[in-house]
């Protein structure tokens, strides 16, 4: 009787041992970067046709809750990529980062959903190049089967928009509004950082900040400038004009232009501003409101 009681007691107190999933299936990943996207500039190419990533994160999120995480640098990445993975139904997430940021090994689906870029307002240099080379893509609902040739394809797009601003202040001089006038500063405002998989994020959105400010290199009377920007609802521009009236000292006036419908990923926004005195007209097929600061 004593022996029987000891056996029962041991079984009752023993923890349940869970057998981990075994990676027993091969998955061949074909990865394509979309450089013929909506981000562009018919006047001049600023590098949109190139993809200069240095770190790649591949994340497999299974419907049952498992997560597999792989990280590659440019020198270790092979195409096509063959991986040993779990069988099951899953979503495949890919995030490509340029120099300055390394893809993390995410352990949970929440970490993947809320994976972000750097805060570009903290970058001392190379901000535009960094933003231009951020790509991500998702393929949903794939079925990975054991002992079958599982071929998965993911298309990655740029996560930034391109805001292209063209301006002309000459009409203000021609119409006698100003004796002298010139654009002295253009600043772009938008989200300082962004979620790599924004459609899946569970974290908060980011408050708009000044992303890029241009001054010393501007053409005074007319010119064209651009900035890459993360999508946000409060994106816009501020620009300042220095002017003189006949016999007056130097003055300045600043304007703020906002995209009323925000800006989206992988799109090109072209805005034309014509300044006549303190009046500014905007053209270019986007909905922009202008208010003097």
């Amino acid at each position: 009787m004593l022996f029987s009681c000891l056996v029962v007691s041991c079984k009752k107190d023993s923890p349940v041992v869970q057998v981990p999933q075994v990676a027993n299936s091969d998955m061949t990943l074909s990865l394509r970067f979309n450089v013929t996207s909506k981000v562009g500039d018919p006047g001049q190419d600023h590098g949109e046709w190139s993809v200069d990533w240095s770190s790649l994160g591949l994340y497999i999120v299974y419907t049952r809750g498992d997560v597999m995480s792989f990280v590659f640098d440019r020198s270790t990445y092979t195409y096509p990529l063959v991986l040993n993975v779990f069988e099951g139904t899953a979503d495949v997430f890919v995030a490509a980062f340029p120099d300055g940021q390394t893809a993390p090994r995410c352990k949970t689906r929440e970490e993947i959903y809320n994976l972000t870029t750097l805060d570009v307002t903290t970058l001392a240099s190379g901000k535009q190049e960094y933003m231009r080379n951020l790509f991500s893509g998702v393929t949903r609902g794939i079925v990975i089967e054991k002992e079958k040739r599982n071929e998965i394809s993911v298309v990655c797009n740029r996560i930034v928009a391109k805001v292209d601003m063209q301006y002309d202040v000459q009409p203000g001089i021609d119409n006698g509004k100003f004796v002298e006038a010139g654009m002295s500063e253009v600043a772009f405002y938008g989200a300082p950082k962004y979620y790599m998989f924004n459609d899946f994020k569970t974290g908060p959105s980011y408050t708009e900040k000044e992303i890029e400010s241009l001054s010393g290199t501007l053409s005074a009377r007319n010119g064209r400038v651009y900035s890459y920007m993360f999508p946000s609802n409060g994106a816009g521009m501020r620009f300042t004009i220095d002017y003189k009236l006949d016999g007056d000292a130097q003055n300045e006036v600043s304007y703020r232009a906002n995209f009323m419908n925000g800006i989206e990923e992988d799109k090109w926004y072209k805005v034309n501003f014509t300044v006549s005195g303190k009046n500014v007209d905007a053209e270019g097929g986007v909905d922009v409101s202008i208010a003097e600061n």
Side-chain angles (χ1 to χ4, degrees):
M1 291 293 297
L2 179 59
F3 178 78
S4 177
C5 289
L6 286 174
V7 171
V8 171
S9 176
C10 290
K11 286 186 177 181
K12 184 177 180 180
D13 295 338
S14 298
V16 176
V17 178
Q18 295 183 347
V19 179
Q21 284 284 329
V22 177
N24 57 7
S25 305
D26 287 335
M27 183 183 81
T28 301
L29 177 68
S30 296
L31 192 60
R32 181 168 68 86
F33 290 92
N34 183 14
V35 294
T36 58
S37 58
K38 301 171 186 176
V39 174
D41 182 346
Q44 181 181 357
D45 171 37
H46 294 114
E48 287 89 1
W49 291 95
S50 64
V51 182
D52 296 322
W53 66 268
S54 63
S55 180
L56 186 77
L58 169 63
Y59 311 103
I60 307 174
V61 179
Y62 290 85
T63 55
R64 60 176 175 262
D66 305 69
V67 168
M68 298 192 79
S69 180
F70 304 89
V71 173
F72 305 91
D73 61 34
R74 198 67 180 258
S75 63
T76 60
Y77 176 77
T78 58
Y79 180 85
L81 192 64
V82 181
L83 300 169
N84 192 231
V85 298
F86 303 151
E87 58 182 326
T89 302
D91 299 333
V92 177
F93 296 76
V94 175
F97 298 93
D99 287 337
Q101 185 173 8
T102 301
R105 293 187 179 277
C106 299
K107 297 179 181 179
T108 66
R109 67 176 61 204
E110 287 73 22
E111 290 180 5
I112 298 168
Y113 293 166
N114 294 304
L115 180 59
T116 67
T117 68
L118 299 177
D119 183 335
V120 296
T121 62
T122 66
L123 299 181
S125 63
K127 185 182 306 181
Q128 296 296 313
E129 182 178 4
Y130 167 80
M131 297 175 77
R132 187 182 70 240
N133 289 295
L134 290 164
F135 288 81
S136 69
V138 182
T139 296
R140 305 205 65 185
I142 66 168
V143 178
I144 303 171
E145 298 181 80
K146 185 179 178 182
E147 298 178 354
K148 285 197 174 182
R149 188 175 180 179
N150 300 286
E151 296 184 349
I152 311 302
S153 177
V154 179
V155 177
C156 293
N157 294 305
R158 281 192 174 92
I159 66 171
V160 297
K162 186 175 187 178
V163 177
D164 185 351
M165 172 180 167
Q166 190 162 352
Y167 60 88
D168 187 3
V169 302
Q170 185 68 36
I173 300 172
D174 293 341
N175 296 332
K177 302 291 186 179
F178 293 146
V179 175
E180 297 177 11
M183 186 73 73
S184 61
E185 182 186 16
V186 176
F188 296 88
Y189 287 82
K193 61 192 301 186
Y194 193 62
Y195 293 94
M196 295 299 290
F197 308 109
N198 192 62
D199 290 342
F200 295 83
K201 76 175 190 301
T202 60
S205 299
Y206 295 102
T207 302
E208 286 74 17
K209 295 182 180 180
E210 181 181 294
I211 301 300
E212 189 78 13
S213 178
L214 306 170
S215 56
T217 59
L218 291 176
S219 174
R221 298 291 177 83
N222 50 69
R224 188 171 178 178
V225 293
Y226 77 96
S227 180
Y228 297 107
M229 296 174 69
F230 295 126
S232 69
N233 291 326
M237 293 147 284
R238 175 179 56 79
F239 51 95
T240 301
I241 296 173
D242 291 337
Y243 70 94
K244 278 185 180 181
L245 299 174
D246 191 12
D248 281 358
Q250 188 82 12
N251 297 288
E252 71 174 32
V253 60
S254 294
Y255 296 87
R256 179 72 180 258
N258 296 316
F259 290 93
M260 298 300 293
N261 297 320
I263 58 175
E264 300 177 6
E265 293 183 14
D266 199 35
K267 287 191 176 181
W268 173 58
Y269 295 86
K270 176 68 162 53
V271 183
N272 295 337
F273 294 111
T274 303
V275 182
S276 180
K278 291 188 178 181
N279 297 316
V280 180
D281 294 325
E283 298 178 351
V286 292
D287 190 9
V288 180
S289 79
I290 301 175
E292 182 179 342
N293 288 346

